[in-house]
């Protein structure tokens, strides 16, 4: 190991990223830049749902006051159908769009869509509070979400007098018959930190591992909802991001690592 690498904040740490293929690179590359040895264990796959219901809602595009996006995956599904429906211009002119966090807002802007509201914290409860503050009584809102998403938003909005249309645009599934070096490493406990960015990643990883996660493995979660899912399956959450984003997760891991002594010698196990 070079002297330069030795002073990096995550040097000596072996970290496994459980995000979906195609979404893991951002987190993995940032961790590696800080000196970690990173393995990827894609614990979820994103599967689009038939777009017929969303297309039907888009045909009523002028009736909505707010569009509410709660994930980057939801943005991809929504923006793709919006473009196919040739409704983008009308959307930019009329709608107000709410994003649950900065990553979702960034993806919206990448698709040329404006963002009118982002809550202070990237959780459904904070987004609900921010929307209620705008006055939603009598308003109509469209929520393109993941299948099985929590009902915090629609329930809270309806209770405040809004009309809410919830459309499931995608589902997350567990990869079938999946094996990898990273999976074997997690099973053996030869990893320092296992990262989770969603509740489904937690549940699927437990299924893929097929047994308990060794106690020596630190569990890092992107926010309270994911941390609750980890606790529900019997994991002890060691690291929880205060800023519920990839950057916040990295900051939380770095803070944890700074307090952890002594650092283990870096290896190339992952």
């Amino acid at each position: 190991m070079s002297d330069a690498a030795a002073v990096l904040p995550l040097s000596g740490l072996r970290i496994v990223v459980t995000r979906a293929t195609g979404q893991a690179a951002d987190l993995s590359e940032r961790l590696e830049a800080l000196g970690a040895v990173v393995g990827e264990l894609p614990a979820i796959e994103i599967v689009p749902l038939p777009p017929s219901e969303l297309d039907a809602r888009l045909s009523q595009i002028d009736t909505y006051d707010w569009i509410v996006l709660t994930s980057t995956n939801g943005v991809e599904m929504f923006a793709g159908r919006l473009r196919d429906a040739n409704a983008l211009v009308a959307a930019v002119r009329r709608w107000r769009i709410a994003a649950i966090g900065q990553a979702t807002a960034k993806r919206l802007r990448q698709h040329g869509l404006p963002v009118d509201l982002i809550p202070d914290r990237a959780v459904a409860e904070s987004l609900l509070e921010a929307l209620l503050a705008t006055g939603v009584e009598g308003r109509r809102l469209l929520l393109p979400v993941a299948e099985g998403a929590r009902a915090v938003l629609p329930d809270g909005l309806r209770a405040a007098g809004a009309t809410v249309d919830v459309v499931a645009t995608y589902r997350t599934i567990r990869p079938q018959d999946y094996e990898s070096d990273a999976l074997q490493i997690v099973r053996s406990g030869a990893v320092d930190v296992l990262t989770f960015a969603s509740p489904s990643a937690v549940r699927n990883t437990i299924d893929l591992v097929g047994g308990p996660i060794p106690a020596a493995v630190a569990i890092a979660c992107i926010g309270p909802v994911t941390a609750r899912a980890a606790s529900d399956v019997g994991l002890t959450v060691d690291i929880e991001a205060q800023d519920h984003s990839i950057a916040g997760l990295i900051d939380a891991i770095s803070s944890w690592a700074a307090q952890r002594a002594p650092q283990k010698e870096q290896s190339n196990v992952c």
Side-chain angles (χ1 to χ4, degrees):
M1 190 187 324
S2 69
D3 291 342
V7 301
L8 291 172
L10 300 185
S11 291
L13 287 182
R14 296 157 296 188
I15 301 177
V16 168
V17 171
T18 61
R19 302 196 81 195
T21 299
Q23 297 182 329
D26 183 31
L27 176 56
S28 296
E29 290 172 1
R30 293 197 208 186
L31 292 170
E32 288 171 345
L34 294 173
V37 178
V38 179
E40 293 185 0
L41 169 56
I44 61 174
E45 291 181 2
I46 308 300
V47 179
L49 293 174
S52 55
E53 184 176 358
L54 179 58
D55 288 349
R57 300 301 180 188
L58 292 179
S59 70
Q60 306 166 4
I61 190 169
D62 288 335
T63 68
Y64 290 102
D65 298 291
W66 281 97
I67 309 300
V68 182
L69 280 306
T70 56
S71 72
T72 56
N73 294 319
V75 172
E76 291 301 318
M77 305 304 167
F78 172 72
R81 299 310 298 177
L82 191 65
R83 185 167 291 105
D84 289 347
N86 200 27
L88 183 58
V89 173
V92 173
R93 187 170 58 241
R94 174 178 170 77
W95 294 345
R96 286 187 289 174
I97 301 181
I100 196 167
Q102 294 295 339
T104 303
K106 179 179 179 181
R107 192 64 58 86
L108 280 162
R109 296 185 182 108
Q110 289 172 339
H111 282 284
L113 293 167
V115 180
D116 301 284
L117 185 149
I118 308 172
D120 294 334
R121 300 174 69 240
V123 293
E125 288 80 358
S126 293
L127 180 54
L128 173 62
E129 183 178 354
L131 283 166
L132 294 180
T134 70
V136 298
E137 183 175 4
R139 302 293 186 184
R140 191 174 186 196
L141 298 91
L142 176 63
L143 277 64
V145 299
E147 185 179 63
R150 294 193 303 148
V152 169
L153 271 172
D155 286 354
L157 292 167
R158 287 170 181 145
T163 298
V164 181
D165 291 325
V166 178
V167 180
T169 59
Y170 69 97
R171 66 167 58 109
T172 60
I173 64 171
R174 179 173 63 83
Q176 299 297 312
D177 302 322
Y178 181 82
E179 283 291 337
S180 72
D181 291 343
L183 183 55
Q184 294 301 325
I185 290 167
V186 173
R187 286 171 174 155
S188 71
V191 58
D192 296 294
V193 181
L194 182 59
T195 68
F196 295 114
S198 68
S200 55
V202 172
R203 293 187 289 267
N204 291 354
T205 297
I206 293 298
D207 288 344
L208 289 169
V209 170
I213 304 294
V217 178
I219 302 300
C221 296
I222 199 166
V225 178
T226 302
R228 191 177 309 125
S231 297
D232 287 345
V233 298
L235 298 177
T236 298
V237 177
D238 305 276
I239 304 163
E240 182 180 325
Q242 296 304 304
D243 174 12
H244 313 315
S245 66
I246 293 302
L249 180 58
I250 293 169
D251 287 345
I253 294 172
S254 297
S255 296
W256 172 85
Q259 298 172 8
R260 178 178 179 265
Q263 290 278 358
K264 295 181 179 179
E265 290 296 325
Q266 184 174 4
S267 73
N268 294 317
V269 175
C270 287

